[in-house]
């Protein structure tokens, strides 16, 4: 069963920012209802106040719809909400005109209340919301300016002084411009967060691609030269064999020797690729996490550990760091290496983990079974680490240890000689 608030923890950082931005725009509509509609009850009669409140509520609902569609359009999920924006223009004109009529024909003393609050307020909110569906700054300025001019023109039926009309138009320009700038900045911030998240994912993919290129270069250096020699000597052996020369056997023996040497060199390359020095991986993890804005704390000594133990634990650090970057929302990661009764214990703990799925792994934004923390990508990451640790009689435990905290613990027994060195924590 999902814990209360789990729907929020399961979201990635960009998704959380988007949810916050979306509901901020909706909150603008709530503020419009409270500031323009509800306050009318204290300024005029119940009948007119109810009519004004209903008009403002309808206008706020359309503003919420347009802001939501404009946000989806900005993220590339929907087409530009042109119809909805024109509908908001029409609704704004109807509400403003109705406020003018109420102010002109209503009881004496209600002109300032109707025209000053509802009339000017809906135009300010509409100007700020419609700019969300426009990309260029010139068009956004034109939208706010058009609402300001319209606000001034609609005051003529009220026979307001020219100066008052200009002041009202300027008020709509300033307030609508402020709301527009605030909304546009929120969209810019949201897009920046998504861009940073994409950059982080790209950085991880580039690191993997660079390692593959290095492996490919090493194989090319080893196999390219040897295969070329094998091809030449095999061709020479064929020519000598056709002529009945006994040297053909010597050339084929040389080919066999080079082939066996190539096998040995390939095994050395693959072994070097599979091995991961623990000290190097800890330093790399600290640098990568810091670059991603994650506080990292690494404690313990690695000197004196056997090479096979360092390789196994180094892979644990590498996999844990990669999955924190790709699937988690961590703010802090702690890595500890310590000795305990002839065993070296590596602990990787991070926060920012979503709720646990049925397989005991924290469910991240990658879906069920994908780790949001150090647990690996689905079951394959953990199983792969367990296979590496089993080669040195090690064990691996992973799971949540608190609210939003995930811990991965790897234990490897040390040979008697290495244990006697007393690798301190």
């Amino acid at each position: 069963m999902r814990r209360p608030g789990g729907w929020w923890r399961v979201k990635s950082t960009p998704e959380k920012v988007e949810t916050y931005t979306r509901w901020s725009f909706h909150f603008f509509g709530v503020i419009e209802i409270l500031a323009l509609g509800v306050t009318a009850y204290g300024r005029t009669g119940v009948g007119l106040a109810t009519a004004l409140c209903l008009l403002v509520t309808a206008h706020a609902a359309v503003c919420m719809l347009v802001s939501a569609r404009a946000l989806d359009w900005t993220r590339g999920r929907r087409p530009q909400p042109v119809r909805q924006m024109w509908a908001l223009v029409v609704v704004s004109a109807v509400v403003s005109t109705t406020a003018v009529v109420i102010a002109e024909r209503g009881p004496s003393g209600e002109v300032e209340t109707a025209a000053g609050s509802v009339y000017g307020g809906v135009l300010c909110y509409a100007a700020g919301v419609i700019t969300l569906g426009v990309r260029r700054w010139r068009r956004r300025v034109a939208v706010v300016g058009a609402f300001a001019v319209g606000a001034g023109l609609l005051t003529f039926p009220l026979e307001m002084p020219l100066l008052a009309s200009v002041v009202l138009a300027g008020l709509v320009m300033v307030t609508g411009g402020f709301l527009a700038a605030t909304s546009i900045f929120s969209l810019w911030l949201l897009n920046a967060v998504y861009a940073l998240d994409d950059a982080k994912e790209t950085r991880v993919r580039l690191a993997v691609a660079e390692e593959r290129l290095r492996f490919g270069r090493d194989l090319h250096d080893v196999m390219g030269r040897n295969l070329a020699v094998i091809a030449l000597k095999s061709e020479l052996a064929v020519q000598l064999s056709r002529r009945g020369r006994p040297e053909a056997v010597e050339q084929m023996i040389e080919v066999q020797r080079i082939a066996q040497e190539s096998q040995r060199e390939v095994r050395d390359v693959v072994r070097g690729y599979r091995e991961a020095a623990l000290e190097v991986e800890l330093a790399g993890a600290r640098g990568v996490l810091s670059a991603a804005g994650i506080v990292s704390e690494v404690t313990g000594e690695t000197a004196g550990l056997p090479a096979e133990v360092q390789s196994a634990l180094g892979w644990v650090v590498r996999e844990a760091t990669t999955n924190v970057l790709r699937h988690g929302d961590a703010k802090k990661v702690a890595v500890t290496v310590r000795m305990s009764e002839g065993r070296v214990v590596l602990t990787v703990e991070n926060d920012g983990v979503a709720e646990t799925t049925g397989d005991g792994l924290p469910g991240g934004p990658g879906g069920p079974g994908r780790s949001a923390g150090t647990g690996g990508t689905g079951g394959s990451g953990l199983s792969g680490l367990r296979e590496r640790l089993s080669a040195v009689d090690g064990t691996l435990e992973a799971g949540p240890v608190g609210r939003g905290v995930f811990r991965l613990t790897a234990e490897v027994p040390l040979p008697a000689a290495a244990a006697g060195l007393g690798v301190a924590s």
Side-chain angles (χ1 to χ4, degrees):
M1 180 179 296
R2 177 172 294 184
R3 298 191 303 269
W7 68 275
W8 177 259
R9 287 191 295 271
V10 79
K11 291 178 178 291
S12 63
T13 298
E15 290 172 342
K16 290 179 179 178
V17 175
E18 179 178 349
T19 302
Y20 171 80
T21 304
R22 188 181 299 274
W23 282 102
S24 295
F25 293 151
H26 293 338
F27 189 63
F28 283 163
V30 176
I31 294 177
E32 179 182 3
I33 296 173
L34 296 176
L36 303 179
V38 176
T39 56
Y41 284 96
R43 301 177 181 178
T44 185
V46 176
L48 290 178
T50 302
L52 290 174
C53 187
L54 291 176
L55 289 174
V56 171
T57 302
H59 184 268
V62 178
C63 286
M64 293 179 184
L65 174 63
V66 172
S67 63
R69 294 295 178 88
L71 182 58
D72 290 337
W73 169 65
T74 302
R75 297 303 311 153
R77 302 178 190 135
R78 291 179 180 267
Q80 187 177 15
V82 178
R83 295 182 179 179
Q84 289 82 0
M85 289 191 296
W86 278 111
L88 179 57
V89 172
V90 173
V91 173
S92 300
V94 171
V95 175
S96 299
T97 303
T98 304
V100 170
V101 172
I102 293 175
E104 186 178 21
R105 300 183 179 182
S108 175
E110 295 180 357
V111 175
E112 183 178 356
T113 300
S117 298
V118 177
Y119 170 75
V122 295
L123 295 178
C124 293
Y125 278 101
V129 170
I130 289 182
T131 54
L132 294 174
V134 182
R135 289 197 187 279
R136 297 181 180 178
W137 277 101
R138 292 183 179 179
R139 295 181 178 179
R140 291 165 177 168
V141 173
V143 168
V144 177
F147 272 91
V149 172
L153 294 177
L154 285 177
T155 58
F156 284 101
L158 295 176
E159 298 181 355
M160 293 180 62
L162 179 60
L163 180 59
S165 299
V166 173
V167 171
L168 181 59
L171 182 62
V172 172
M173 172 69 78
V174 173
T175 307
F178 175 76
L179 292 175
T182 302
S183 302
I184 293 169
F185 176 77
S186 298
L187 287 183
W188 175 84
L189 182 62
L190 175 62
N191 291 329
V193 171
Y194 269 106
L196 289 175
D197 188 70
D198 292 340
K200 183 172 69 174
E201 183 71 18
T202 301
R203 183 170 61 248
V204 175
R205 288 198 296 265
L206 287 176
V208 175
E210 183 179 357
E211 183 66 13
R212 290 175 178 173
L213 287 175
R214 183 193 69 80
F215 183 63
R217 287 194 303 268
D218 291 345
L219 280 182
H220 179 270
D221 293 341
V222 171
M223 297 301 298
R225 178 188 69 254
N226 291 348
L227 288 177
V229 175
I230 289 174
L232 290 175
K233 288 188 172 293
S234 298
E235 183 179 357
L236 178 60
V238 171
Q239 297 296 332
L240 292 175
S241 177
R242 288 176 178 176
R243 298 175 185 178
R245 301 282 295 273
E247 291 87 348
V249 176
E250 297 178 358
Q251 294 297 326
M252 290 307 299
I253 292 175
E254 183 67 13
V255 168
Q256 183 182 25
R257 185 192 66 79
I258 296 174
Q260 293 173 347
E261 182 69 15
S262 298
Q263 287 180 326
R264 184 187 63 79
E265 292 180 353
V266 169
R267 283 195 296 267
D268 291 340
V269 171
V270 174
R271 186 180 302 111
Y273 177 72
R274 288 179 177 175
E275 291 179 353
L278 179 56
E279 184 175 356
V280 174
E281 294 300 330
L282 290 174
R286 185 187 294 108
V288 172
L289 292 172
S290 298
I294 301 174
V295 178
S296 59
E297 180 182 350
V298 180
T299 58
E301 295 292 336
T302 61
L305 293 177
E308 61 274 12
V309 174
Q310 289 209 32
S311 177
L313 296 180
W315 268 102
V316 174
V317 175
R318 181 184 298 182
E319 290 288 333
T321 304
T322 300
N323 285 285
V324 167
L325 293 173
R326 296 186 63 181
H327 308 302
D329 190 21
K331 300 297 184 295
K332 182 178 180 180
V333 177
V335 183
T336 304
V337 182
R338 59 185 176 86
M339 285 287 296
S340 176
E341 299 179 356
R343 303 174 68 87
V344 58
V345 181
L346 171 67
T347 303
V348 184
E349 185 175 295
N350 68 280
D351 59 2
V353 177
E355 63 177 322
T356 306
T357 59
D359 57 1
L361 296 178
R370 292 175 66 91
S371 171
T374 58
T377 307
S380 59
L382 285 176
S383 61
L385 292 179
R386 287 193 174 99
E387 290 178 2
R388 294 180 184 277
L389 291 172
S390 63
V392 290
D393 298 327
T395 60
L396 180 70
E397 295 182 0
V401 294
R403 185 173 183 180
V405 178
F406 190 87
R407 179 185 297 164
L408 184 147
T409 303
E411 295 188 13
V412 179
L414 290 175
L421 294 177
V423 181
S425 61

